[in-house]
Amino acid sequence: MDDFLNFKKIQEKLTAHKWNLYDYQKDFLKSQSIKKFRQFLITSEIGTGKTITAFLPFYKNALDKVKKKVIYISPLKSISTTLQERLIQLSSYLGVNCKIEKRTSDISYTIKKKQLYNIPDIILTTPESLTLMIANPDATTLLENTDFFIIDELNEFISSKRGDQLALTLSRINTINTKFEIFGISG
């Protein structure tokens, strides 16, 4: 029942800001809340909010005062800046107070070090930065407590060296954390 109420909360708050959920987004939220699977593939037409869709379980939990952590992986670090702005806007619309930070090659070592001890709710990164993170023994707590891994532009990783690297990195993370869910996004 709580899942249904939080689904309604998201819908009502987004509608108040002229955001309406597509049927595929509603179906995804319902399927994910059943907790039968750990892996989901999100596909839809361009411009229908696939990336934001992958974050909806995080926000659904936040509305229920359940803390979750997300690591978002994109093939391009430039996507992270735009996405960070959109997620801050969405957080404001939903009344969710969360920390959203980037972890890419242009982020200072000092900030990256702080992230390991003061873990953001959402980290936006690239496969290479994620691989470097798992090599750091201090990252174990962060990785153990990540609930959702979101892989954007999954089609860019398939059959590539970066895809192989990402698969190996996620396999390594799975030895540290066996509870996380993966949401792959592909056009």
Side-chain angles (χ1 to χ4, degrees):
M1 185 60 142
D2 285 341
D3 285 332
F4 178 75
L5 292 175
N6 287 333
F7 176 72
K8 285 301 220 186
K9 282 183 196 176
I10 286 175
Q11 221 172 3
E12 288 169 5
K13 288 183 182 232
L14 290 178
T15 301
H17 292 282
K18 298 183 179 20
W19 285 31
N20 292 307
L21 294 176
Y22 291 99
D23 288 339
Y24 87 90
Q25 292 172 314
K26 295 173 191 175
D27 292 342
F28 168 67
L29 275 172
K30 289 175 187 172
S31 295
Q32 189 275 331
S33 67
I34 294 170
K35 302 292 183 207
K36 183 176 179 182
F37 303 104
R38 287 181 54 207
Q39 301 171 5
F40 293 85
L41 178 61
I42 301 169
T43 63
S44 183
E45 300 294 320
I46 293 173
T48 57
K50 293 183 294 287
T51 302
I52 293 299
T53 300
F55 287 92
L56 292 178
F58 167 82
Y59 286 107
K60 186 170 66 119
N61 279 285
L63 289 172
D64 195 29
K65 309 290 187 240
V66 176
K67 286 286 201 182
K68 298 286 183 176
K69 301 289 185 186
V70 177
I71 294 180
Y72 165 88
I73 306 149
S74 167
L76 301 171
K77 65 182 175 182
S78 60
I79 293 173
S80 296
T81 300
T82 304
L83 180 59
Q84 185 178 31
E85 292 167 4
R86 290 185 69 209
L87 291 172
I88 289 169
Q89 181 185 38
L90 180 58
S91 298
S92 174
Y93 287 171
L94 294 173
V96 171
N97 184 17
C98 63
K99 188 165 51 167
I100 305 164
E101 294 184 7
K102 295 184 288 183
R103 187 181 180 92
T104 56
S105 60
D106 54 350
I107 301 299
S108 75
Y109 171 80
T110 306
I111 291 172
K112 289 178 184 178
K113 189 75 170 166
K114 286 179 184 176
Q115 289 174 342
L116 298 178
Y117 300 103
N118 189 7
I119 302 170
D121 299 296
I122 298 173
I123 293 177
L124 311 173
T125 192
T126 61
E128 293 79 12
S129 291
L130 182 62
T131 299
L132 290 172
M133 185 191 325
I134 70 165
N136 185 335
D138 293 332
T140 302
T141 302
L142 184 151
L143 297 169
E144 284 175 339
N145 292 298
T146 299
D147 301 284
F148 307 119
F149 282 87
I150 299 172
I151 305 169
D152 206 348
E153 301 293 341
L154 188 60
N155 49 297
E156 294 290 322
F157 294 115
I158 303 296
S159 301
S160 73
K161 288 181 182 179
R162 291 179 85 202
D164 294 342
Q165 175 191 11
L166 181 57
L168 288 170
T169 300
L170 289 171
S171 178
R172 172 68 180 109
I173 292 169
N174 196 47
T175 64
I176 298 168
N177 173 352
T178 57
K179 67 174 176 46
F180 68 86
E181 294 177 55
I182 297 177
F183 307 144
I185 306 167
S186 184

Coordinates of all heavy atoms in Angstrom, one line a residue, residues 28-98:
F28 N 7.2 0.8 -15.1 CA 8.5 0.6 -14.5 C 8.4 0.7 -12.9 O 9.0 -0.1 -12.2 CB 9.5 1.6 -15.0 CG 10.8 1.6 -14.3 CD1 11.7 0.5 -14.3 CD2 11.2 2.7 -13.6 CE1 12.9 0.5 -13.6 CE2 12.4 2.8 -12.8 CZ 13.2 1.6 -12.8
L29 N 7.8 1.8 -12.5 CA 7.7 2.0 -11.0 C 7.0 0.8 -10.3 O 7.4 0.4 -9.3 CB 7.0 3.3 -10.7 CG 7.8 4.6 -10.7 CD1 7.0 5.8 -10.5 CD2 8.9 4.5 -9.5
K30 N 5.9 0.4 -10.9 CA 5.2 -0.7 -10.4 C 6.0 -2.0 -10.4 O 6.1 -2.7 -9.4 CB 3.9 -0.9 -11.1 CG 2.9 0.1 -10.9 CD 1.6 0.0 -11.8 CE 0.7 1.2 -11.6 NZ -0.4 1.2 -12.6
S31 N 6.7 -2.3 -11.5 CA 7.5 -3.5 -11.6 C 8.7 -3.5 -10.6 O 9.0 -4.5 -10.0 CB 8.1 -3.7 -13.0 OG 7.0 -3.9 -13.9
Q32 N 9.3 -2.3 -10.5 CA 10.5 -2.2 -9.6 C 10.1 -2.4 -8.2 O 10.8 -2.9 -7.4 CB 11.2 -0.9 -9.9 CG 12.5 -0.7 -9.2 CD 12.4 -0.2 -7.7 OE1 11.4 0.5 -7.4 NE2 13.3 -0.6 -6.9
S33 N 8.9 -1.9 -7.8 CA 8.5 -1.9 -6.4 C 8.1 -3.3 -6.0 O 8.1 -3.6 -4.8 CB 7.3 -1.0 -6.2 OG 6.1 -1.5 -6.9
I34 N 7.9 -4.3 -6.9 CA 7.6 -5.6 -6.6 C 8.8 -6.4 -6.0 O 8.7 -7.3 -5.2 CB 7.0 -6.4 -7.8 CG1 5.7 -5.8 -8.2 CG2 6.9 -7.9 -7.5 CD1 5.1 -6.3 -9.5
K35 N 10.0 -5.9 -6.4 CA 11.3 -6.4 -6.0 C 11.5 -7.9 -6.4 O 12.2 -8.7 -5.7 CB 11.5 -6.4 -4.4 CG 11.3 -4.9 -3.9 CD 12.5 -4.1 -4.3 CE 12.4 -2.7 -3.7 NZ 13.1 -1.7 -4.5
K36 N 11.0 -8.2 -7.6 CA 11.2 -9.6 -8.1 C 12.5 -9.7 -8.9 O 13.2 -10.7 -8.9 CB 10.0 -9.9 -9.0 CG 10.1 -11.4 -9.6 CD 8.9 -11.7 -10.4 CE 9.0 -13.1 -10.9 NZ 7.8 -13.4 -11.8
F37 N 12.9 -8.6 -9.5 CA 14.1 -8.5 -10.3 C 15.1 -7.5 -9.8 O 14.7 -6.5 -9.1 CB 13.8 -8.2 -11.8 CG 12.8 -9.2 -12.4 CD1 11.5 -8.9 -12.6 CD2 13.2 -10.5 -12.7 CE1 10.6 -9.7 -13.1 CE2 12.3 -11.4 -13.3 CZ 11.0 -11.0 -13.5
R38 N 16.4 -7.7 -10.1 CA 17.4 -6.7 -9.8 C 17.9 -5.9 -11.0 O 18.7 -4.9 -10.8 CB 18.7 -7.4 -9.1 CG 18.4 -7.9 -7.7 CD 19.7 -8.6 -7.2 NE 20.8 -7.7 -7.2 CZ 22.1 -8.1 -7.3 NH1 22.3 -9.4 -7.3 NH2 23.1 -7.3 -7.3
Q39 N 17.5 -6.3 -12.2 CA 18.0 -5.6 -13.4 C 16.8 -5.3 -14.2 O 15.9 -6.1 -14.5 CB 18.9 -6.6 -14.2 CG 20.1 -7.0 -13.4 CD 20.9 -8.1 -14.1 OE1 20.6 -8.5 -15.2 NE2 21.9 -8.6 -13.4
F40 N 16.8 -4.0 -14.7 CA 15.8 -3.5 -15.6 C 16.4 -2.8 -16.8 O 17.4 -2.1 -16.7 CB 14.9 -2.5 -14.8 CG 14.1 -3.1 -13.7 CD1 14.6 -3.3 -12.5 CD2 12.8 -3.5 -14.0 CE1 13.9 -3.9 -11.5 CE2 12.0 -4.1 -12.9 CZ 12.6 -4.3 -11.7
L41 N 15.7 -2.9 -17.9 CA 16.1 -2.2 -19.1 C 15.0 -1.2 -19.5 O 13.8 -1.6 -19.6 CB 16.3 -3.1 -20.3 CG 16.7 -2.5 -21.7 CD1 18.0 -1.7 -21.5 CD2 16.8 -3.5 -22.8
I42 N 15.4 0.1 -19.5 CA 14.4 1.1 -19.8 C 14.6 1.6 -21.2 O 15.7 2.1 -21.5 CB 14.5 2.3 -18.8 CG1 14.3 1.8 -17.4 CG2 13.6 3.4 -19.1 CD1 14.7 2.8 -16.3
T43 N 13.6 1.4 -22.1 CA 13.7 1.9 -23.4 C 12.4 2.7 -23.7 O 11.3 2.4 -23.3 CB 13.8 0.8 -24.5 OG1 12.7 -0.1 -24.4 CG2 15.1 0.0 -24.2
S44 N 12.5 3.7 -24.5 CA 11.4 4.5 -25.0 C 11.8 5.5 -26.1 O 13.0 5.5 -26.4 CB 10.8 5.3 -23.8 OG 9.6 6.0 -24.2
E45 N 10.9 6.2 -26.6 CA 11.2 7.2 -27.6 C 12.1 8.3 -27.1 O 12.1 8.6 -25.9 CB 9.9 7.8 -28.2 CG 8.9 6.8 -28.8 CD 9.5 6.2 -30.1 OE1 10.1 6.9 -30.9 OE2 9.3 5.0 -30.2
I46 N 12.9 8.9 -28.0 CA 13.7 10.0 -27.6 C 12.8 11.2 -27.0 O 11.7 11.4 -27.5 CB 14.5 10.6 -28.8 CG1 15.5 9.5 -29.2 CG2 15.2 11.9 -28.5 CD1 16.3 9.8 -30.5
G47 N 13.3 11.7 -25.9 CA 12.5 12.9 -25.3 C 11.4 12.5 -24.4 O 10.6 13.3 -24.0
T48 N 11.3 11.2 -24.0 CA 10.2 10.8 -23.1 C 10.7 10.6 -21.7 O 10.0 10.0 -20.9 CB 9.6 9.5 -23.6 OG1 10.5 8.5 -23.8 CG2 8.9 9.8 -25.0
G49 N 11.9 11.0 -21.4 CA 12.4 11.0 -20.0 C 12.9 9.7 -19.5 O 12.8 9.4 -18.3
K50 N 13.6 8.9 -20.3 CA 14.1 7.6 -19.9 C 15.1 7.8 -18.7 O 15.1 7.0 -17.7 CB 14.8 6.9 -21.0 CG 13.9 6.5 -22.2 CD 14.7 5.7 -23.2 CE 15.7 6.6 -24.0 NZ 15.2 7.5 -24.9
T51 N 16.0 8.8 -18.8 CA 17.0 8.9 -17.7 C 16.3 9.3 -16.4 O 16.6 8.7 -15.4 CB 18.0 10.0 -18.2 OG1 18.6 9.6 -19.4 CG2 19.1 10.2 -17.1
I52 N 15.4 10.3 -16.4 CA 14.7 10.6 -15.2 C 13.9 9.4 -14.7 O 13.8 9.2 -13.4 CB 13.8 11.8 -15.4 CG1 14.6 13.1 -15.7 CG2 12.9 12.1 -14.3 CD1 15.6 13.5 -14.6
T53 N 13.4 8.6 -15.5 CA 12.6 7.4 -15.1 C 13.4 6.5 -14.2 O 13.0 6.0 -13.2 CB 12.2 6.6 -16.4 OG1 11.3 7.5 -17.2 CG2 11.4 5.4 -16.0
A54 N 14.7 6.4 -14.5 CA 15.6 5.5 -13.7 C 15.8 6.0 -12.3 O 16.1 5.2 -11.4 CB 16.9 5.3 -14.4
F55 N 15.6 7.3 -12.1 CA 15.7 7.9 -10.8 C 14.4 7.9 -10.0 O 14.4 8.2 -8.8 CB 16.2 9.4 -10.9 CG 17.7 9.5 -11.3 CD1 18.0 9.6 -12.6 CD2 18.6 9.4 -10.3 CE1 19.4 9.6 -13.0 CE2 20.0 9.5 -10.6 CZ 20.3 9.6 -12.0
L56 N 13.3 7.5 -10.6 CA 12.0 7.6 -9.9 C 12.0 6.6 -8.7 O 11.4 7.0 -7.6 CB 10.9 7.3 -10.9 CG 10.6 8.4 -11.9 CD1 9.5 7.9 -12.9 CD2 10.3 9.7 -11.3
P57 N 12.5 5.4 -8.7 CA 12.5 4.6 -7.5 C 13.3 5.3 -6.3 O 12.9 5.2 -5.2 CB 13.3 3.3 -7.9 CG 13.0 3.2 -9.3 CD 13.0 4.6 -9.8
F58 N 14.3 6.0 -6.6 CA 15.1 6.8 -5.6 C 14.1 7.8 -4.9 O 14.0 7.9 -3.7 CB 16.3 7.5 -6.2 CG 16.9 8.5 -5.3 CD1 17.7 8.2 -4.2 CD2 16.5 9.9 -5.4 CE1 18.3 9.1 -3.4 CE2 17.1 10.8 -4.5 CZ 17.9 10.5 -3.5
Y59 N 13.4 8.5 -5.8 CA 12.5 9.6 -5.3 C 11.3 9.0 -4.6 O 10.8 9.5 -3.6 CB 12.1 10.5 -6.4 CG 13.2 11.4 -6.8 CD1 13.9 11.3 -8.0 CD2 13.6 12.5 -5.9 CE1 14.9 12.1 -8.3 CE2 14.6 13.3 -6.3 CZ 15.3 13.1 -7.5 OH 16.3 14.0 -7.8
K60 N 10.8 7.8 -5.1 CA 9.7 7.2 -4.4 C 10.0 6.8 -3.0 O 9.3 7.0 -2.0 CB 9.2 5.9 -5.2 CG 8.0 5.3 -4.7 CD 7.5 4.2 -5.6 CE 8.4 3.1 -5.7 NZ 8.0 1.8 -5.3
N61 N 11.3 6.3 -2.8 CA 11.7 5.9 -1.5 C 11.9 7.2 -0.6 O 11.6 7.2 0.6 CB 13.0 5.1 -1.6 CG 12.8 3.7 -1.9 OD1 12.4 2.9 -1.0 ND2 13.0 3.3 -3.1
A62 N 12.5 8.2 -1.2 CA 12.7 9.5 -0.5 C 11.4 10.0 0.1 O 11.4 10.5 1.2 CB 13.4 10.5 -1.3
L63 N 10.4 9.9 -0.7 CA 9.1 10.4 -0.2 C 8.5 9.6 1.0 O 7.7 10.1 1.7 CB 8.0 10.4 -1.4 CG 8.3 11.5 -2.4 CD1 7.4 11.3 -3.6 CD2 8.2 12.9 -1.9
D64 N 9.0 8.4 1.1 CA 8.6 7.5 2.2 C 9.7 7.6 3.3 O 9.7 6.8 4.2 CB 8.5 6.1 1.7 CG 7.8 5.2 2.7 OD1 6.9 5.7 3.4 OD2 8.1 4.0 2.7
K65 N 10.6 8.6 3.2 CA 11.7 8.8 4.2 C 12.6 7.6 4.3 O 13.2 7.3 5.4 CB 11.1 9.1 5.6 CG 10.1 10.2 5.6 CD 10.7 11.6 5.3 CE 9.7 12.7 5.5 NZ 9.5 13.5 4.3
V66 N 12.8 6.9 3.2 CA 13.7 5.8 3.1 C 14.9 6.2 2.3 O 14.8 6.6 1.2 CB 13.1 4.5 2.5 CG1 14.2 3.4 2.3 CG2 11.9 4.0 3.3
K67 N 16.1 6.3 3.0 CA 17.3 6.7 2.3 C 17.9 5.7 1.4 O 18.1 4.5 1.8 CB 18.4 7.1 3.3 CG 18.1 8.4 4.1 CD 18.4 9.5 3.1 CE 18.6 10.8 3.9 NZ 18.9 11.9 3.0
K68 N 18.1 6.1 0.1 CA 18.7 5.2 -0.9 C 19.9 6.0 -1.5 O 19.9 7.2 -1.5 CB 17.7 4.8 -1.9 CG 16.5 4.0 -1.4 CD 16.9 2.6 -1.1 CE 15.8 1.7 -0.7 NZ 16.1 0.4 -0.4
K69 N 20.8 5.2 -2.1 CA 22.0 5.8 -2.7 C 22.0 5.3 -4.2 O 21.7 4.2 -4.5 CB 23.3 5.4 -2.0 CG 23.4 5.8 -0.6 CD 23.5 7.3 -0.4 CE 23.8 7.6 1.1 NZ 23.8 9.0 1.3
V70 N 22.4 6.3 -5.1 CA 22.4 6.0 -6.5 C 23.8 6.3 -7.1 O 24.4 7.4 -6.7 CB 21.4 6.8 -7.3 CG1 21.5 6.6 -8.8 CG2 20.0 6.6 -6.7
I71 N 24.3 5.5 -7.9 CA 25.5 5.8 -8.8 C 25.0 5.7 -10.2 O 24.5 4.7 -10.7 CB 26.7 4.9 -8.5 CG1 27.2 5.1 -7.1 CG2 27.8 5.2 -9.6 CD1 28.4 4.2 -6.8
Y72 N 25.1 6.9 -10.9 CA 24.7 7.0 -12.3 C 25.9 7.0 -13.2 O 26.9 7.7 -12.9 CB 23.9 8.3 -12.5 CG 23.7 8.7 -13.9 CD1 22.6 8.3 -14.7 CD2 24.6 9.6 -14.5 CE1 22.5 8.7 -16.0 CE2 24.5 10.0 -15.8 CZ 23.4 9.5 -16.5 OH 23.3 9.9 -17.8
I73 N 25.9 6.2 -14.2 CA 27.1 6.0 -15.1 C 26.7 6.4 -16.5 O 25.7 5.9 -17.0 CB 27.6 4.6 -15.1 CG1 27.9 4.1 -13.6 CG2 28.8 4.4 -15.9 CD1 27.6 2.7 -13.4
S74 N 27.5 7.3 -17.0 CA 27.2 7.8 -18.4 C 28.5 7.7 -19.2 O 29.6 7.9 -18.7 CB 26.8 9.3 -18.3 OG 26.8 9.9 -19.6
P75 N 28.3 7.5 -20.5 CA 29.5 7.5 -21.4 C 30.2 8.8 -21.5 O 31.4 8.9 -21.8 CB 29.0 6.9 -22.7 CG 27.6 7.3 -22.7 CD 27.1 7.2 -21.3
L76 N 29.5 9.9 -21.3 CA 30.0 11.3 -21.4 C 29.9 12.0 -20.1 O 28.8 12.1 -19.6 CB 29.3 12.0 -22.5 CG 29.4 11.4 -23.9 CD1 28.5 12.1 -24.9 CD2 30.8 11.4 -24.4
K77 N 31.0 12.6 -19.6 CA 30.9 13.4 -18.4 C 30.1 14.7 -18.6 O 29.5 15.2 -17.7 CB 32.3 13.7 -17.8 CG 33.1 14.6 -18.6 CD 34.5 14.7 -18.0 CE 35.4 15.5 -18.9 NZ 36.7 15.7 -18.3
S78 N 30.0 15.2 -19.8 CA 29.2 16.4 -20.1 C 27.7 16.2 -19.8 O 27.0 17.1 -19.5 CB 29.4 16.8 -21.5 OG 29.0 15.8 -22.4
I79 N 27.2 15.0 -19.9 CA 25.8 14.7 -19.6 C 25.5 14.9 -18.2 O 24.4 15.4 -17.8 CB 25.5 13.2 -20.0 CG1 25.5 13.0 -21.5 CG2 24.1 12.8 -19.5 CD1 25.4 11.6 -22.0
S80 N 26.5 14.7 -17.3 CA 26.3 14.8 -15.9 C 25.9 16.2 -15.4 O 25.1 16.4 -14.5 CB 27.6 14.4 -15.1 OG 27.8 13.0 -15.4
T81 N 26.5 17.3 -16.1 CA 26.2 18.6 -15.7 C 24.7 19.0 -15.9 O 24.0 19.5 -15.0 CB 27.1 19.6 -16.4 OG1 28.4 19.3 -16.1 CG2 26.8 21.1 -16.0
T82 N 24.2 18.6 -17.1 CA 22.8 18.9 -17.4 C 21.9 18.0 -16.5 O 20.9 18.5 -16.0 CB 22.5 18.6 -18.9 OG1 23.4 19.3 -19.7 CG2 21.1 18.9 -19.3
L83 N 22.3 16.8 -16.4 CA 21.5 15.9 -15.5 C 21.4 16.4 -14.1 O 20.4 16.3 -13.4 CB 22.0 14.5 -15.6 CG 21.2 13.4 -14.8 CD1 19.7 13.4 -15.2 CD2 21.9 12.1 -14.9
Q84 N 22.5 16.8 -13.6 CA 22.6 17.3 -12.2 C 21.6 18.5 -12.0 O 20.8 18.5 -11.1 CB 24.0 17.8 -11.8 CG 24.1 18.2 -10.4 CD 25.6 18.6 -10.0 OE1 26.3 19.1 -10.9 NE2 26.0 18.4 -8.8
E85 N 21.5 19.4 -13.0 CA 20.6 20.5 -12.9 C 19.1 20.0 -12.9 O 18.3 20.5 -12.2 CB 20.8 21.5 -14.1 CG 22.1 22.2 -14.0 CD 22.5 22.9 -15.3 OE1 21.7 22.9 -16.3 OE2 23.6 23.5 -15.3
R86 N 18.9 19.0 -13.8 CA 17.5 18.5 -13.9 C 17.1 17.8 -12.6 O 16.0 17.8 -12.2 CB 17.4 17.6 -15.1 CG 17.5 18.3 -16.4 CD 17.2 17.5 -17.6 NE 15.8 17.1 -17.7 CZ 15.4 15.9 -18.2 NH1 16.3 15.1 -18.8 NH2 14.2 15.6 -18.2
L87 N 18.0 17.0 -12.0 CA 17.7 16.3 -10.8 C 17.5 17.3 -9.6 O 16.7 17.0 -8.7 CB 18.8 15.3 -10.5 CG 18.9 14.1 -11.4 CD1 20.2 13.3 -11.1 CD2 17.7 13.2 -11.4
I88 N 18.3 18.3 -9.6 CA 18.1 19.4 -8.5 C 16.7 20.0 -8.7 O 15.9 20.1 -7.7 CB 19.2 20.4 -8.6 CG1 20.5 19.8 -8.1 CG2 18.8 21.7 -7.8 CD1 21.7 20.7 -8.4
Q89 N 16.3 20.2 -9.9 CA 14.9 20.8 -10.2 C 13.9 19.8 -9.8 O 12.9 20.1 -9.1 CB 14.8 21.1 -11.7 CG 13.4 21.7 -12.0 CD 13.3 21.9 -13.5 OE1 13.8 21.1 -14.3 NE2 12.7 23.0 -13.9
L90 N 14.0 18.5 -10.1 CA 13.1 17.4 -9.8 C 13.0 17.3 -8.3 O 11.9 17.2 -7.7 CB 13.5 16.1 -10.4 CG 12.5 14.9 -10.2 CD1 11.1 15.2 -10.6 CD2 13.1 13.7 -10.9
S91 N 14.1 17.3 -7.6 CA 14.2 17.2 -6.1 C 13.4 18.3 -5.5 O 12.6 18.1 -4.5 CB 15.6 17.2 -5.6 OG 16.3 16.2 -6.1
S92 N 13.5 19.5 -6.0 CA 12.8 20.7 -5.5 C 11.3 20.5 -5.8 O 10.5 20.7 -4.9 CB 13.2 21.9 -6.3 OG 12.5 23.0 -5.9
Y93 N 10.9 20.0 -6.9 CA 9.4 19.8 -7.2 C 8.8 18.8 -6.3 O 7.7 18.9 -5.8 CB 9.3 19.3 -8.7 CG 9.5 20.3 -9.8 CD1 9.5 19.8 -11.1 CD2 9.6 21.6 -9.5 CE1 9.7 20.7 -12.1 CE2 9.8 22.5 -10.6 CZ 9.9 22.0 -11.9 OH 10.0 22.9 -12.9
L94 N 9.6 17.8 -6.0 CA 9.1 16.7 -5.1 C 9.3 17.0 -3.6 O 8.8 16.2 -2.8 CB 9.8 15.4 -5.5 CG 9.5 14.8 -6.9 CD1 10.3 13.6 -7.2 CD2 8.0 14.5 -7.0
G95 N 10.0 18.0 -3.3 CA 10.3 18.3 -1.9 C 11.2 17.4 -1.2 O 11.1 17.1 0.0
V96 N 12.2 16.9 -2.0 CA 13.2 15.9 -1.5 C 14.5 16.6 -1.4 O 15.0 17.2 -2.3 CB 13.3 14.7 -2.5 CG1 14.5 13.8 -2.1 CG2 12.0 13.9 -2.6
N97 N 15.0 16.5 -0.2 CA 16.3 17.1 0.1 C 17.4 16.0 0.0 O 17.5 15.1 0.7 CB 16.4 17.7 1.6 CG 17.6 18.4 1.9 OD1 18.4 18.8 1.0 ND2 17.9 18.6 3.1
C98 N 18.2 16.2 -1.1 CA 19.2 15.2 -1.3 C 20.5 15.9 -1.9 O 20.4 16.9 -2.5 CB 18.7 14.1 -2.3 SG 18.3 14.6 -3.9

